[in-house]
Amino acid sequence: MNFDFSDDQKFLRDEARKFLEAQCTSAHVREVLDDDSKSHNEGVWKQIIEMGWLGAAIPEEYGGLGLGMLELCVIAEELGRVLAPVPFGSSAYFFAEALKLAGSEDQKQALLPKVADGSLVGCIAISEGPGEIKAGNIATRLKDGSITGKKIPVTDGDIASHAIVLVKDGSGESLVIVDLNESGVSREPIKTLEPTRSHATISFDGAKAELLGEAGNGMALLDQINDRAAVLIAFEQLGGASRCLEMANAYAKERVAFGRAIGGNQAIKHKLADMYVKNEVARSNAYYGAWALSSNAAELPEAAAAARVAASEAFWFASKENIQTHGGMGFTWEVDCHLFYRRAKLLSVQAGSPAVWKEKLVSALEAKND
Amino acid sequence: MDFNDTAEEAEFRAEAQAFLSQHLNAKTPGALRSGGREDFLARAKAWQKTKAEGGFAQITWPKEMGGRGGTVMQQVIWGQEEAKFDAPTGPFAIGLGMCVPTVIAFGSDEHKKRYVQKALMGEEVWCQLFSEPAAGSDVAGLKTKAVKDGDEWVINGQKVWTSGAHYSDFGILLVRTDPNVPKHKGLTMFIVDMKQQGVDVRPIHQASGGSEFNEVYFTDVRIPDSDRLGEPGMGWKVALVTLMNERLAVGGSPGPDWKEIMDYARSAGTLSDQAFRAKLADWYVAAQGYKLTKFRTQTALSRGETPGPENAIGKIINANHLQDICNSAIEMQDHFGLIVDKDEAPSDAIFQESFMWAPGLRIAGGTDEILKNIIAERVLGLPQDVRVDKDKTFAEMN
Ligand SMILES: Cc1cc2nc3c(=O)[nH]c(=O)nc-3n(C[C@H](O)[C@H](O)[C@H](O)COP(=O)(O)OP(=O)(O)OC[C@H]3O[C@@H](n4cnc5c(N)ncnc54)[C@H](O)[C@@H]3O)c2cc1C
């Protein structure tokens, strides 16, 4: 038994933390928040690209660092701590993982090195309306190699150069790769409650598309992609939740009311203890997800779902109670609490809401038991 | 990161499995609870003896204490494997988990010679006499007093909620030896013979219907000074060691968990209910989170690090979820859910039985509130609760 990251992985974490704390401060995040024309922070993004993090889990033969999934998990947690305002997740967790999973040799060779060196930014475009994404709700059509339809919202859809799109075709549902700079694609930024990550509506009108994996296998493939992304997102959520607890804890020790630090009151102490318990539950489940991901274990679907359910709950709880602990200050634009509150919501509904993942989890447990 | 046994661990696991399947039956619901209390105690003693003779009792204890001199990982593996069988271990949890380790840490060579081996062999059972009617969460506020008389101490007072006192041979006893200092400074720990004159054990009828714990009255009970554990006035320090070991000793799931209610829901045809499925997911995630948190602790332990407050997390999660799971199972059975008759109630009435036991679990070994204080104060470093009695002597406050 060795249920921890290795010394090398911890070293990577320390280095990433040092770097991000210095180079991706709240001021950097707020540049994106306060400026509608900015989709991401270019300086931070450039440095992340230079460090090769996008290629951490991409094999060397495709231009990556060939480290592994655990290393990517470590990076994800650190990006979550600082609310990195960059399209990292879209490109690394969704686009690259989808290619690694289902791409043809040609596709991998053509696209993965570009993901790794940042010259290509990938995203995933699946949502078309409110509610869970199900086979029945997809209106975007694939016909003769081109697609027509509208996806909204697409995280990082305005910065991305390529998208994986869920479409309907003669054989059912399929995933396709679309070059967003080709003709037949138009995009409009769309406002969301999390402005530090950009979102767009993407309309396809006869845009050229290339199949990813087998035709008709789209939903199954999407499930597998989401399982992988879920673990990585869980680490981002965990990073955010940990920061919320740290912020609340620091404030509770410093803010005085009725002649003593507010953290001396049990209502606050127990709130923070509850955050701690939820964060530890989330951390342990995320580690299990990381293990399943890195070892291609058969348990991945339930491990990913558990990681995601636990992390969504932990980040949601920590982000809302962090504001509460900060009182009126917590409700101001200037204090960072709301940035975490916003990010918590984005991460909990991207790739499926907690309700969807709870159902996936129970289905997986049922299947295992049959 | 991996969950695989090392070669040595796998070898030990195989050895443990072989031993267990040779001596015990695989777990079947309800089997451990059948038969009366006497019968259970006898079976527990027999199993403890078998285990000790086989070299599997107290695996991490040094060989000279009768342990195996094994690793923490071996202890963990043993625990995992033993849990798959109908192993009657309950009566020894407090003694071997908490009391005897305290004797080992603070006792003399004579104490160790006299007590450790017998406890290990299941011949003598121990209990822990800390709580009092007016001193539970605030145990350092206890009043039972000991007065020095020559080479002996004379004990008078009352303990309460003492689990297993009715079948225990010895106990570790925390008493006040000096009321004229602040409360934590005037305590002393002793070994007490539970069968001696002046010790009166009276079972308490629990809300759950059973009687696992007791009131214990001490009337002019004499304890030789040589049975003191630690210096006079240092009892709190000794007690903290006991409570530290409690963290390591307790754990595990104390009753039906997500799996059992899922199985039940399937058989009852209610597994498709959406609201239930969402709750099931939450229970699974929490149980899994606790189980995996223990793996993280074990990893830290096997590297020689000291255990943190993980068990506080475990008890908060487990006790609450046990209560909720049983509540849901009963509601799922509708009016029928009230029935506790094992022949009538589904799943041997385990949900009903645990429903009545769960409230105690949220109190025993530290209440939810106290455990959250521990996390807040010792892990998160938040200010301590107001302690109006901190700088006053015990006598002034009482
Ligand atoms: C099944 C069972 C077995 C037990 N076995 C043993 C045993 O073998 N040996 C032994 O010595 N004891 C034993 N106990 C006693 C147990 O340790 C105490 O019951 C427990 O510590 C609580 O103390 P109390 O009952 O006096 O409740 P109180 O301390 O009176 O608590 C009452 C309520 O007040 C809350 N409260 C108290 N202080 C605070 C605070 N500072 N902040 C917030 N809330 C607070 C509590 O959380 C609780 O909700 C056992 C108890 C049970 C239920």
Side-chain angles (χ1 to χ4, degrees):
Chain A
M1 163 88 58
N2 176 16
F3 195 47
D4 196 3
F5 288 101
S6 69
D7 287 345
D8 281 351
Q9 287 153 355
K10 287 181 186 164
F11 179 75
L12 173 66
R13 171 163 68 204
D14 294 346
E15 292 301 299
R17 185 167 305 181
K18 255 188 264 164
F19 164 77
L20 288 169
E21 275 171 3
Q23 303 300 324
C24 186
T25 63
S26 151
H28 291 96
V29 179
R30 283 170 177 278
E31 281 173 27
V32 183
L33 178 74
D34 292 330
D35 184 346
D36 279 350
S37 71
K38 282 209 166 103
S39 58
H40 63 294
N41 187 301
E42 276 174 44
V44 174
W45 185 228
K46 217 173 121 214
Q47 295 181 74
I48 285 175
I49 290 170
E50 275 166 15
M51 284 183 299
W53 289 355
L54 279 160
I58 295 178
E60 282 169 291
E61 51 188 305
Y62 302 120
L65 296 180
L67 292 171
M69 294 313 289
L70 291 177
E71 284 74 9
L72 192 54
C73 289
V74 165
I75 291 170
E77 182 177 346
E78 296 311 314
L79 293 171
R81 283 179 64 89
V82 297
L83 302 171
V86 294
F88 189 89
S90 295
S91 223
Y93 314 160
F94 286 100
F95 195 82
E97 288 304 311
L99 277 172
K100 280 162 64 183
L101 197 66
S104 66
E105 188 54 35
D106 281 353
Q107 286 170 333
K108 287 186 199 170
Q109 273 179 11
L111 301 173
L112 282 175
K114 292 186 179 166
V115 173
D117 72 14
S119 55
L120 177 165
V121 175
C123 68
I124 186 157
I126 46 179
S127 172
E128 297 188 9
E132 185 184 349
I133 289 143
K134 286 193 178 132
N137 324 336
I138 299 151
T140 303
R141 302 267 147 189
L142 168 68
K143 213 174 153 212
D144 304 331
S146 63
I147 65 170
T148 302
K150 187 165 103 174
K151 294 289 179 181
I152 167 174
V154 182
T155 304
D156 301 313
D158 56 337
I159 339 161
S161 60
H162 288 71
I164 288 167
V165 187
L166 179 62
V167 297
K168 202 160 208 101
D169 61 13
S171 49
E173 292 74 34
S174 302
L175 290 179
V176 293
I177 305 172
V178 179
D179 183 337
L180 299 174
N181 294 318
E182 291 282 323
S183 63
V185 181
S186 59
R187 354 184 196 173
E188 244 347 281
I190 186 159
K191 285 201 168 163
T192 68
L193 54 79
E194 177 21 342
T196 74
R197 292 286 304 278
S198 72
H199 287 80
T201 303
I202 307 187
S203 304
F204 302 101
D205 184 10
K208 225 168 79 196
E210 199 181 286
L211 259 183
L212 176 71
E214 271 172 53
N217 197 29
M219 293 312 289
L221 202 51
L222 182 61
D223 258 348
Q224 284 178 279
I225 295 167
N226 278 337
D227 281 350
R228 305 181 71 79
V231 174
L232 295 157
I233 295 175
F235 273 91
E236 273 206 35
Q237 293 173 304
L238 186 59
S242 305
R243 274 299 296 145
C244 287
L245 174 55
E246 289 166 18
M247 285 169 76
N249 193 12
Y251 194 74
K253 285 175 185 163
E254 151 203 321
R255 172 71 174 171
V256 172
F258 301 102
R260 61 197 293 241
I262 56 166
N265 298 299
Q266 279 193 355
I268 298 290
K269 285 164 80 166
H270 288 189
K271 196 191 282 306
L272 267 53
D274 287 339
M275 274 192 213
Y276 176 80
V277 170
K278 285 181 194 288
N279 285 0
E280 290 303 298
V281 165
R283 179 169 294 281
S284 298
N285 277 295
Y287 280 25
Y288 187 57
W291 166 80
L293 188 57
S294 68
S295 57
N296 275 314
E299 292 90 340
L300 180 60
E302 75 232 34
R308 182 119 171 92
V309 169
S312 296
E313 170 64 19
F315 199 6
W316 161 238
F317 183 80
S319 71
K320 75 184 169 122
E321 297 306 334
N322 183 31
I323 298 181
Q324 184 69 17
T325 303
H326 278 76
M329 286 291 284
F331 193 57
T332 62
W333 189 262
E334 285 68 31
V335 171
D336 287 346
C337 295
H338 70 104
L339 302 186
F340 288 89
Y341 189 68
R342 293 170 185 281
R343 183 63 65 87
K345 213 63 255 142
L346 164 65
L347 295 182
S348 79
V349 294
Q350 202 186 19
S353 73
V356 170
W357 284 97
K358 283 182 186 182
E359 181 48 41
K360 280 194 191 196
L361 174 57
V362 175
S363 304
L365 295 176
E366 265 186 292
K368 200 173 156 188
N369 223 266
D370 282 342
Chain B
M1 206 179 264
D2 73 76
F3 293 94
N4 297 327
D5 289 337
T6 62
E8 297 93 69
E9 285 163 4
E11 194 181 313
F12 177 78
R13 192 184 294 278
E15 217 183 302
Q17 278 165 347
F19 184 80
L20 283 158
S21 50
Q22 189 190 333
H23 295 282
L24 292 174
N25 295 323
K27 206 178 200 96
T28 41
L32 262 188
R33 297 176 297 140
S34 67
R37 183 204 275 163
E38 292 298 313
D39 179 45
F40 183 72
L41 184 63
R43 279 191 288 158
K45 286 186 169 182
W47 170 234
Q48 183 62 35
K49 181 161 191 275
T50 308
K51 201 154 78 162
E53 283 169 353
F56 289 104
Q58 303 309 107
I59 285 161
T60 56
W61 287 12
K63 283 209 172 106
E64 59 271 22
M65 291 292 140
R68 190 186 181 91
T71 64
V72 178
M73 275 319 297
Q74 289 179 334
Q75 183 72 58
V76 169
I77 290 168
W78 172 262
Q80 288 167 346
E81 296 304 323
E82 194 183 29
K84 296 176 189 164
F85 292 82
D86 276 328
T89 54
F92 292 95
I94 291 178
L96 291 173
M98 290 143 75
C99 303
V100 181
T102 308
V103 173
I104 293 176
F106 292 95
S108 62
D109 288 343
E110 282 74 53
H111 289 143
K112 291 178 206 167
K113 232 180 265 156
R114 164 66 189 81
Y115 297 115
V116 177
Q117 179 71 5
K118 288 221 187 271
L120 201 69
M121 295 303 285
E123 288 167 30
E124 290 170 351
V125 183
W126 286 66
C127 62
Q128 177 193 331
L129 302 137
F130 286 13
S131 303
E132 294 188 9
S137 302
D138 184 14
V139 73
L142 58 83
K143 293 196 171 115
T144 296
K145 64 175 184 207
V147 179
K148 189 94 186 277
D149 179 21
D151 279 349
E152 290 181 330
W153 295 81
V154 182
I155 319 286
N156 279 288
Q158 183 203 345
K159 294 287 168 182
V160 76
W161 321 130
T162 317
S163 299
H166 51 298
Y167 53 66
S168 287
D169 302 285
F170 295 93
I172 54 171
L173 172 69
L174 191 61
V175 295
R176 185 163 309 281
T177 43
D178 184 356
N180 297 315
V181 289
K183 65 179 182 183
H184 289 99
K185 301 214 163 100
L187 303 174
T188 304
M189 187 79 84
F190 292 97
I191 296 172
V192 59
D193 179 347
M194 294 297 289
K195 308 287 185 206
Q196 74 183 293
Q197 181 139 43
V199 180
D200 179 14
V201 177
R202 300 183 202 166
I204 297 174
H205 195 191
Q206 288 157 201
S208 56
S211 289
E212 281 98 10
F213 59 33
N214 309 268
E215 297 177 289
V216 183
Y217 291 84
F218 292 89
T219 314
D220 293 332
V221 171
R222 302 189 84 86
I223 299 181
D225 187 53
S226 57
D227 278 349
R228 180 166 38 77
L229 293 174
E231 293 305 307
M234 298 300 280
W236 187 247
K237 208 178 124 202
V238 180
L240 287 181
V241 169
T242 314
L243 297 173
M244 261 266 294
N245 277 302
E246 182 168 13
R247 283 208 205 134
L248 292 173
V250 296
S253 181
D257 59 7
W258 65 271
K259 181 81 173 60
E260 268 146 306
I261 195 170
M262 181 173 165
D263 289 346
Y264 173 67
R266 180 186 282 116
S267 70
T270 48
L271 187 50
S272 58
D273 176 68
Q274 274 311 315
F276 173 72
R277 291 170 79 84
K279 280 197 277 186
L280 185 61
D282 287 335
W283 293 326
Y284 171 84
V285 162
Q288 182 80 353
Y290 171 55
K291 182 177 115 185
L292 296 166
T293 298
K294 282 205 299 189
F295 287 169
R296 283 169 53 210
T297 311
Q298 286 149 22
T299 303
L301 281 170
S302 65
R303 290 180 186 151
E305 293 165 28
T306 38
E310 293 79 14
N311 242 82
I313 294 177
K315 209 173 89 70
I316 293 172
I317 296 173
N318 285 338
N320 279 287
H321 281 186
L322 176 71
Q323 201 163 28
D324 289 348
I325 284 170
C326 294
N327 180 49
S328 277
I330 289 169
E331 290 187 356
M332 220 184 269
Q333 295 167 16
D334 213 297
H335 197 176
F336 202 85
L338 294 174
I339 299 174
V340 295
D341 189 327
K342 286 189 176 59
D343 296 332
E344 292 287 348
S347 309
D348 265 335
I350 180 109
F351 295 113
Q352 285 77 3
E353 192 168 286
S354 300
F355 176 80
M356 289 311 301
W357 171 241
L361 200 71
R362 291 185 55 197
I363 297 166
T367 62
D368 286 4
E369 290 76 15
I370 294 297
L371 294 178
K372 285 186 189 180
N373 274 358
I374 289 176
I375 292 174
E377 293 175 12
R378 307 220 193 118
V379 183
L380 302 176
L382 288 165
Q384 293 203 333
D385 275 15
V386 175
R387 292 191 175 141
V388 291
D389 54 0
K390 206 165 119 196
D391 301 317
K392 303 219 167 92
T393 68
F394 181 77
E396 268 178 282
M397 293 299 299
N398 287 276

